[in-house]
Amino acid sequence: MHKTNEMVIERDTRFIILDHHLEKNVFLAYDAITKSFICIDGKGKVIDEIERAGEGPNEYFTNILSAAFNERGDGFFLQSSNELLWYNENWEVINRWRFSSFFNIIFYGGPKIKTPYFFLNGATYPQVLPSFYSNIKIPIADVDPSISSRNLLEVFDPSDGSLTWKLPIQFGSFSPYKPADKEFDLTQVYFLDDNQKLLHLTFDNSLTIGIYDLTKNFELVKYVKIVEQSLEDKGKGKTVGLYPADESGYILLRYSGISEVELEKKKVNNEYYFPLTDPTLYKFYFLDKGHLVSPPISFPENFDPNAEIILLENGKILMREKDKDDEESTYSKYAVFEFRLH
């Protein structure tokens, strides 16, 4: 894992980066303090800022959940729990669609993640996955099988306004537990490959990755199994990130956690110690064709495992550096890391 670049963004208020446009090398971020979207170039300079929270023709509601660049053209896709908005480059609404999702997710402080969408071949509008975000738990146990027909997620199609359940999933292939069992605390972790039209899906407590064909109603292509003994945590940790490395490889981010005894020891020296914020408890793994091909890679010590981790391109990610405790920060520092198989 090599650091290849750094970026400093001078801004007093806290923001979160949501998406990266590969061709333009521009980032889309959201500032919850000013309630505005900001565009940032590859050198960290803010090149545009827009705040249109409200109910007018070109305004967005304050319960926006996610946003993303339109990778097929210009503009942006914004999504709330019941609406999809398509803005052009000047932040003028091209189209907006209302829908009624089974799940009603609300993020405190505004958008936290990239809008999950993909284009079917030749389509004018994207297919969107309402309320289905990677590493954000959905209450799958609340889904009535008579409603979902035993499918996992909803897909919204703006071309006809339909909201349909898809992805006929076999939970037994991911875990020995059933969703209703207390031990199966279901949190999906995935990435959408719009180029190959594939969904790569796993769950936090699973060592199986399912690959599904987006063009065939999420039909299963194959399973990729990870041997638990090859992991440093022996399969007892949790997967919190899944990213493409190349056409057949993955970057897996795992959180190991610590025992109660170890936690008490840590708190003796630091009463504010919290395991989820400890970078030493996170490890990256490089997988190729389902096989681990490298030892675990330590999470960079000075970076925040709970901040945004943005995929730039296969094998490259952007991560936020931790704020310094002893000073009021007027900037945010990021670094680009590249995974290289020697």
Side-chain angles (χ1 to χ4, degrees):
M1 186 175 178
H2 300 265
K3 184 191 292 187
T4 62
N5 196 12
E6 291 184 342
M7 180 175 70
V8 175
I9 303 171
E10 295 183 0
R11 191 176 181 85
D12 294 335
T13 53
R14 172 60 74 208
F15 60 89
I16 181 169
I17 293 179
L18 306 172
D19 194 13
H20 173 252
H21 197 294
L22 182 60
E23 292 184 3
K24 297 180 180 179
N25 192 23
V26 176
F27 297 93
L28 176 64
Y30 182 76
D31 188 323
I33 304 299
T34 63
K35 292 184 173 60
S36 60
F37 286 95
I38 54 178
C39 289
I40 305 163
D41 68 17
K43 297 181 179 179
K45 180 182 177 181
V46 175
I47 56 177
D48 192 17
E49 182 167 356
I50 190 74
E51 189 277 308
R52 287 185 178 159
E55 298 183 5
N58 287 318
E59 295 177 335
Y60 46 78
F61 292 105
T62 53
N63 67 339
I64 291 291
L65 301 176
S66 62
F69 289 109
N70 175 11
E71 295 286 350
R72 280 286 186 92
D74 293 333
F76 314 88
F77 294 124
L78 274 59
Q79 181 187 309
S80 71
S81 58
N82 60 6
E83 188 174 33
L84 175 68
L85 298 96
W86 180 9
Y87 281 93
N88 64 19
E89 290 288 288
N90 297 319
W91 289 89
E92 299 165 334
V93 171
I94 299 174
N95 215 330
R96 62 197 312 163
W97 300 269
R98 300 277 294 185
F99 55 82
S100 181
S101 175
F102 184 88
F103 298 108
N104 187 18
I105 294 178
I106 296 177
F107 293 148
Y108 175 76
K112 294 287 190 297
I113 204 162
K114 173 182 178 179
T115 300
Y117 74 86
F118 61 92
F119 280 92
L120 293 177
N121 295 330
T124 302
Y125 302 127
Q127 306 280 302
V128 181
L129 311 183
S131 303
F132 193 78
Y133 302 111
S134 186
N135 210 24
I136 308 264
K137 182 181 178 180
I138 59 171
I140 190 63
D142 295 342
V143 179
D144 185 343
S146 65
I147 297 175
S148 69
S149 301
R150 301 191 180 279
N151 288 278
L152 177 64
L153 58 87
E154 294 173 291
V155 179
F156 176 64
D157 185 350
S159 65
D160 59 10
S162 63
L163 186 65
T164 55
W165 287 91
K166 296 181 186 287
L167 188 55
I169 194 165
Q170 299 294 328
F171 288 107
S173 300
F174 290 93
S175 170
Y177 304 110
K178 297 179 181 179
D181 292 338
K182 187 176 181 180
E183 295 90 341
F184 193 80
D185 189 16
L186 179 66
T187 302
Q188 69 281 358
V189 181
Y190 71 88
F191 70 86
L192 282 166
D193 187 337
D194 193 30
N195 292 324
Q196 297 189 55
K197 307 302 176 190
L198 296 172
L199 167 69
H200 301 255
L201 171 70
T202 186
F203 297 96
D204 57 348
N205 61 354
S206 175
L207 296 180
T208 298
I209 301 170
I211 303 176
Y212 299 88
D213 190 331
L214 301 175
T215 66
K216 298 180 180 179
N217 274 329
F218 293 81
E219 179 182 297
L220 176 67
V221 176
K222 67 176 180 179
Y223 290 120
V224 174
K225 303 282 188 179
I226 302 169
V227 179
E228 62 184 25
Q229 294 304 316
S230 60
L231 297 167
E232 189 175 87
D233 59 40
K234 305 305 179 187
K236 296 180 180 179
K238 288 190 174 184
T239 296
V240 296
L242 182 67
Y243 314 95
D246 51 35
E247 290 185 359
S248 61
Y250 300 96
I251 300 163
L252 196 71
L253 178 58
R254 300 270 297 174
Y255 167 72
S256 62
I258 59 175
S259 67
E260 292 186 8
V261 174
E262 292 173 318
L263 179 58
E264 290 302 317
K265 289 180 180 179
K266 292 278 189 181
K267 287 197 170 184
V268 169
N269 298 322
N270 179 8
E271 62 177 314
Y272 301 108
Y273 176 81
F274 188 53
L276 286 174
T277 64
D278 185 351
T280 65
L281 299 180
Y282 293 80
K283 293 287 190 298
F284 287 104
Y285 294 87
F286 195 100
L287 290 83
D288 184 59
K289 298 178 181 177
H291 302 288
L292 295 176
V293 292
S294 74
I297 303 167
S298 297
F299 198 95
E301 183 179 358
N302 296 325
F303 286 77
D304 188 348
N306 291 288
E308 60 269 47
I309 299 177
I310 304 296
L311 177 68
L312 304 184
E313 56 184 310
N314 289 358
K316 287 187 178 182
I317 57 175
L318 179 88
M319 296 195 294
R320 181 192 286 269
E321 192 170 303
K322 280 187 170 183
D323 294 330
K324 291 182 171 56
D325 296 329
D326 56 349
E327 63 182 54
E328 184 176 350
S329 180
T330 58
Y331 64 89
S332 296
K333 189 173 182 179
Y334 292 84
V336 177
F337 290 90
E338 181 178 5
F339 292 83
R340 300 172 186 166
L341 183 60
H342 295 290

